[in-house]
Amino acid sequence: MKFVNCKPAFSKVLLSACCSFLISISLNAQAQKTAQPNVVFILVDDLGYHDLGITGSEYYETPNVDQLGRSSYRFTQGYAASRVCSPSRASIMTGVTPAVHGITDWIGAPEGEKWRSYGRHTQLLPPEYPHDLSTELLTIPEALKTQGYETFFAGKWHLGSEGSYPEDHGFDINVGGWESGSPKGGYFAPYVNPNLEQGPNGENLSLRLAKETVNYIEGAHSKPFFAMLCFYAVHGPIQTTEEKWQKYRNKAESAGLADHGYEMERRLPIRTTQDNPVYGGLVETMDEAVGLVMDALQEQGLADNTVVIFTSDHGGVASGDNFSTSNLPLRGGKGYQWEGGLRVPYFIKVPGGAQGDIDYPASGIDFLPTIMDLVGAGKETKSPIEGKSLVAVMEGKEEKDRALYWHYPHYGNQGGDPSSIIRDGKWKLIHYYENDGKELYNLETDPEEKVDLSTKEPKVTAQLMKKLNKYLEKNNVRYPYADPEYDAKEEEKVLNRAKTAQLEKLENDRVKVLTPGWQPNPDWWGSKVTKD
């Protein structure tokens, strides 16, 4: 390290500080050589399977996550346990599906007759669901604390209000986790978050959360640690800086703009192109934040003794919310019952450098037992765990197929339908509650879910339906029920508006955002700070 033009006294102080810092790194790394591995879990909100360079995007730039992916086991059939956030996050934490923990919709979504306030005029009303994560269920941090781990949380929680915050479920430290599912106040300080100290005006939330995680990693640790970084990004409201918007606007134009960006799905328009420059900037900033964390592990000498997990809580937002991205060739997106709503990036980096693609269906419920296996603790038995450790699969051992289940008795904000799903081997069956309809797909030959085989394969359909019903009955799940005030003509009006006025507005808005000189407001959501 070289110092130039430093005053002697300052140089001594700085040199002493640097030596202390380097000694701290050395001792920290040395202590870790024979210890259980640290675990860093990075969870991105609303990130689609194809929103990364390594998973196929030619538009978004994610060099840091791509590098992490290249050094990880990459589960090419990695699934979220739900198509929306709170249920999926609860499943990651507890190792059980929403059918078991009961949180079947994002916490805050209307239940029963309150659903009518959305003006969708649907046939069914959604059931009630718990609004807090049960303390009866074992969580990842609680399980790791039994093995002597320190625990840290930063970012989005959305698993309950005060009394059900991260610190109530096993985390020693909570930075920014509370009941809100979106970044109140936006992605640039000043923030609206009671559990996050205010930052300087214009500070970026994703980078701030990463820096908080870095500070924790760089701190003194007498025990192995579990650090969970849950970005609010890339959830709406999508925001970025003018510079990043300009970069991605130019990139979209250079690639050749499509003549349209949307098509109709069953209930709402859905985005068919990745050319949203605001979302592109939001994704890139998330990637920069991941880079800060990975650099800190390397600089602290901990990279070779840390398990790093990277995933998303469900598919990308292609419809509803902010219509941010396209998940094609996968069908649908967040809130939908198809693969675009359920498949996610799913990377596990283990000490030793082993890596590669694994074509084995993995689920968010598998993280808890996998982590416990990786730290040498085996499977905890304090509470039921449905997930299975993926360590044997990562070691190249043959594993029998097991069925995966999803239960979502709600209408998604993004256009999805109340339904339950089973995937068993190559087959995926979707059962709809409005009309008792069924769709059957062979995911080996049709991962895009274009050909419904339910009538051509009646035996398979019946077998899977029986298995699905048995699972749901065993867990005493709640179902949607008929709305006695349902009016088919009113619902048809809603659907027609989506096909006409809404679709037209979305196309016009897409053109505006890609027009030179566009700006959302004078200070770019607070990212452009001017001094008086």
Side-chain angles (χ1 to χ4, degrees):
M1 189 174 291
K2 186 177 181 181
F3 303 99
V4 181
N5 295 329
C6 293
K7 293 181 179 180
F10 177 73
S11 296
K12 280 187 177 181
V13 172
L14 187 55
L15 182 59
S16 174
C18 288
C19 288
S20 298
F21 176 66
L22 292 173
I23 290 170
S24 173
I25 292 176
S26 177
L27 291 175
N28 203 359
Q30 186 175 0
Q32 288 287 329
K33 285 182 180 178
T34 57
Q36 292 171 294
N38 303 304
V39 181
V40 173
F41 197 122
I42 302 173
L43 178 60
V44 187
D45 193 15
D46 288 10
L47 186 74
Y49 181 84
H50 294 296
D51 283 353
L52 304 170
I54 194 171
T55 56
S57 179
E58 296 179 354
Y59 185 58
Y60 313 126
E61 296 182 16
T62 55
N64 295 295
V65 176
D66 293 349
Q67 177 57 38
L68 171 59
R70 284 191 291 271
S71 61
S72 303
Y73 287 108
R74 300 173 296 276
F75 285 81
T76 58
Q77 297 187 71
Y79 285 99
S82 176
R83 63 182 91 166
V84 295
C85 57
S86 296
S88 177
R89 289 164 183 269
S91 292
I92 287 172
M93 284 291 175
T94 62
V96 297
T97 70
V100 176
H101 61 63
I103 303 173
T104 50
D105 207 355
W106 58 274
I107 294 175
E111 308 156 299
E113 294 181 0
K114 292 179 181 179
W115 169 246
R116 294 186 189 130
S117 67
Y118 272 35
R120 297 268 297 274
H121 297 282
T122 53
Q123 293 183 38
L124 306 177
L125 295 176
E128 295 182 352
Y129 60 90
H131 287 213
D132 299 286
L133 181 63
S134 172
T135 56
E136 298 299 314
L137 293 170
L138 181 75
T139 64
I140 295 174
E142 288 171 341
L144 286 173
K145 284 171 79 79
T146 68
Q147 305 301 311
Y149 276 70
E150 301 171 356
T151 58
F152 168 88
F153 181 90
K156 174 174 173 174
W157 178 243
H158 206 189
L159 289 175
S161 54
E162 193 168 354
S164 186
Y165 280 167
E167 56 267 39
D168 301 304
H169 294 279
F171 286 102
D172 300 325
I173 300 171
N174 168 30
V175 179
W178 64 310
E179 52 262 46
S180 179
S182 61
K184 298 293 185 183
Y187 282 101
F188 300 97
Y191 313 117
V192 180
N193 188 322
N195 291 332
L196 181 66
E197 285 188 18
Q198 197 56 262
N201 287 354
E203 178 186 62
N204 181 272
L205 178 59
S206 297
L207 296 176
R208 166 66 182 281
L209 293 173
K211 289 173 183 176
E212 293 282 356
T213 306
V214 166
N215 290 340
Y216 177 76
I217 290 171
E218 292 177 345
H221 299 285
S222 60
K223 303 176 181 179
F225 61 78
F226 171 58
M228 189 164 192
L229 170 56
C230 295
F231 290 110
Y232 282 91
V234 289
H235 192 286
I238 59 172
Q239 299 173 347
T240 192
T241 62
E242 182 177 11
E243 292 74 20
K244 279 189 166 54
W245 165 80
Q246 186 70 58
K247 171 183 175 177
Y248 283 95
R249 193 215 74 82
N250 293 347
K251 191 171 183 179
E253 184 177 63
S254 297
L257 295 177
D259 60 359
H260 69 282
Y262 298 90
E263 294 177 357
M264 273 302 300
E265 246 308 340
R266 289 183 180 171
R267 295 182 180 274
L268 287 174
I270 192 164
R271 195 175 189 101
T272 56
T273 60
Q274 288 190 350
D275 62 2
N276 186 332
V278 178
Y279 186 72
L282 183 61
V283 170
E284 183 177 323
T285 301
M286 176 277 297
D287 179 77
E288 292 169 353
V290 170
L292 295 178
V293 175
M294 299 307 295
D295 287 347
L297 291 173
Q298 191 67 45
E299 291 164 3
Q300 291 293 306
L302 302 175
D304 292 334
N305 196 45
T306 300
V307 174
V308 181
I309 292 170
F310 179 92
T311 193
S312 173
D313 57 353
H314 46 67
V317 182
S319 190
D321 295 2
N322 286 275
F323 294 85
S324 304
T325 191
S326 171
N327 298 294
L328 292 175
L330 299 179
R331 185 177 180 184
K334 176 183 178 179
Y336 282 97
Q337 56 275 12
W338 300 298
E339 295 291 279
L342 296 170
R343 285 218 197 176
V344 291
Y346 197 113
F347 305 152
I348 302 177
K349 182 179 182 294
V350 298
Q355 52 80 33
D357 287 341
I358 297 179
D359 191 31
Y360 177 83
S363 168
I365 62 175
D366 298 331
F367 286 121
L368 192 159
T370 299
I371 289 170
M372 298 308 289
D373 204 351
L374 287 170
V375 304
K379 189 172 182 179
E380 287 290 324
T381 57
K382 178 182 174 183
S383 66
I385 294 176
E386 293 178 288
K388 64 177 294 180
S389 170
L390 300 171
V391 171
V393 177
M394 292 189 287
E395 292 175 345
K397 298 175 183 176
E398 289 290 331
E399 286 289 315
K400 293 182 180 179
D401 287 336
R402 43 78 192 261
L404 296 175
Y405 299 92
W406 292 267
H407 179 60
Y408 187 72
H410 311 269
Y411 291 95
N413 291 346
Q414 303 76 21
D417 290 279
S419 54
S420 294
I421 302 166
I422 177 174
R423 172 167 181 179
D424 198 354
K426 66 183 180 180
W427 297 109
K428 176 181 175 182
L429 177 77
I430 305 172
H431 175 232
Y432 293 93
Y433 289 108
E434 273 198 351
N435 56 5
D436 196 33
K438 299 169 186 65
E439 291 172 5
L440 178 69
Y441 299 104
N442 181 338
L443 295 181
E444 282 187 1
T445 59
D446 182 27
E448 300 173 17
E449 295 170 295
K450 291 182 176 180
V451 182
D452 174 14
L453 300 173
S454 58
T455 56
K456 291 185 178 180
E457 297 283 354
K459 289 185 179 179
V460 175
T461 300
Q463 290 169 355
L464 292 178
M465 194 65 226
K466 181 178 180 181
K467 199 169 182 178
L468 176 60
N469 281 332
K470 183 177 180 180
Y471 178 80
L472 298 176
E473 290 168 6
K474 180 184 73 173
N475 289 295
N476 195 30
V477 301
R478 296 175 179 178
Y479 297 95
Y481 53 97
D483 183 355
E485 296 183 11
Y486 171 67
D487 186 328
K489 292 181 179 179
E490 290 300 318
E491 183 181 31
E492 188 64 26
K493 290 179 184 178
V494 172
L495 297 175
N496 284 335
R497 282 197 297 270
K499 296 174 185 176
T500 55
Q502 187 175 16
L503 185 58
E504 181 181 2
K505 182 179 185 304
L506 286 167
E507 293 289 7
N508 290 337
D509 289 346
R510 170 176 171 262
V511 172
K512 289 177 183 177
V513 173
L514 288 164
T515 300
W518 176 85
Q519 63 177 29
N521 60 3
D523 66 359
W524 282 80
W525 297 296
S527 66
K528 186 179 289 187
V529 180
T530 57
K531 295 182 179 179
D532 295 331

